[in-house]
Every structure is written in structure tokens, then in C-alpha cells.
Amino acid sequence: MTIISEESGLLTLINVFTVSPDNQQRLIDLLTQATDLSVRHARGFVSAALHRSLDGTKVTMYAQWQSMEAYQAMRGDPVAIPYLTEALEIATFEPGAYTVAGTFAPQVTNQ
């Protein structure tokens, strides 16, 4: 389950893929297969969520890991490599590693 908290100490990876609208679903399918077959079984994996843009040109993967080392170890898994290689044939991506700097919720008012 995704935990968004400054205290969690988790590494957050946000990868934004740019894709042609006719390949958006194909990219989602490839990333889903890679995650189901390999990534989610890797040591240190916490959670992931896929997001599709409404205009069809972006797919964003929000993933949480226990550490950068755990994430790097998963990248060498031979099960996921063919899916990720095919994904990069139809899309470009901009990776980013983050920690949570703040979280916000609606203000509760007593009425």
C-alpha cells in the first residue's frame, strides 16, 4: 500500500513516460506486466501506481522502495528487462528519485 509520509523514510521514484496516444495502452500493459511478474516480488519494493494522462501522451509510474540499493538491484532482474526494453522502444522517459517533503489534507472545520 502506498504510504505518503515524511516520516516513512521511503524512496519515491516518479517516472514520466512520453508516448504517442496510439501506444499509451500498450505502454501501460508492458509496465503492468513487468511490475506483476518481477518488480512487485523484488526485495525492498513497497508499492507502485500507474497513471495515464487524459490526452494519451503520458504514463506516470509512482513507485516506493525501501532504498535506492533495493531499486538498483531490481533493475538487473532478467524477468523485467524485456518488458522495460520494449517500453523504451515506444516511449521516452524522465526518471526522478524523491523523498516526501510535505503532505497536505483538507482543513477540517467544525460546523
Side-chain angles (χ1 to χ4, degrees):
M1 170 172 261
T2 302
I3 304 164
I4 302 176
S5 166
E6 293 173 67
E7 291 81 32
S8 73
L10 298 175
L11 170 70
T12 301
L13 294 166
I14 302 174
N15 292 321
V16 180
F17 295 82
T18 301
V19 63
S20 65
D22 57 320
N23 278 324
Q24 186 188 49
Q25 187 58 52
R26 180 176 168 206
L27 178 60
I28 289 169
D29 292 344
L30 288 167
L31 295 173
T32 297
Q33 289 175 312
T35 303
D36 277 343
L37 297 174
S38 172
V39 176
R40 67 190 309 215
H41 304 287
R43 182 178 300 242
F45 174 76
V46 176
S47 69
L50 270 174
H51 305 265
R52 77 175 80 228
S53 68
L54 298 179
D55 68 0
T57 65
K58 302 275 194 251
V59 174
T60 300
M61 172 75 86
Y62 180 99
Q64 294 180 310
W65 290 84
Q66 291 291 330
S67 67
M68 181 60 84
E69 293 76 23
Y71 168 70
Q72 293 294 350
M74 175 281 302
R75 289 188 53 162
D77 184 343
V79 174
I81 290 173
Y83 297 104
L84 300 175
T85 299
E86 187 175 345
L88 292 177
E89 290 173 1
I90 63 170
T92 60
F93 85 109
E94 184 178 334
Y98 303 85
T99 59
V100 177
T103 59
F104 308 92
Q107 182 177 355
V108 177
T109 58
N110 295 329
Q111 294 185 15

